[in-house]
Amino acid sequence: MTDTINPLGLHKLLTLENGNPESLKNLTSFCEFTNAMLLRYELEQVGFSSFVFDNNSFTAAYCLKESHICIHTWPEYNNLTLDIYLCNYSQDNSEKVRSIANEYVAFFEAIVKTEFEINR
């Protein structure tokens, strides 16, 4: 029997405790980092939306041809949440999801508080 990949893909949800509090207030830096990562991983952005709150925390959503990446920051709690989901329509992107998550952990100098992987 031949293994086939699940076309619905891997969805990773993370809550991070931040080691660099100013990064939780810097949407521009997050976007520059994410845009460079999308190029490296050959992911296609089809939409983007963001909002900066009064305390400079932010929320952002990248809509991708392959699915999405979303973030919400809470500088007052030194936390952020990430939602990374890539479908496997043309190839298995599971390791990309895991690698992207690891790159964000490093970018935010964070520790993982909670982490869930959901095979859709």
Side-chain angles (χ1 to χ4, degrees), residues 32-43 96 99-100 103-104:
E32 289 170 353
F33 180 80
T34 300
N35 291 337
M37 191 166 33
L38 294 179
L39 288 174
R40 267 195 325 280
Y41 286 99
E42 299 178 343
L43 299 171
K96 278 187 186 181
S99 294
I100 288 168
E103 288 200 38
Y104 279 125

Side-chain angles (χ1 to χ4, degrees), residues 78-104:
N78 206 36
N79 282 285
L80 66 119
T81 59
L82 279 168
D83 178 336
I84 305 161
Y85 177 34
L86 298 178
C87 72
N88 292 334
Y89 178 72
S90 60
Q91 65 183 6
D92 185 351
N93 285 315
S94 300
E95 286 310 309
K96 278 187 186 181
V97 171
R98 292 180 183 106
S99 294
I100 288 168
N102 290 336
E103 288 200 38
Y104 279 125

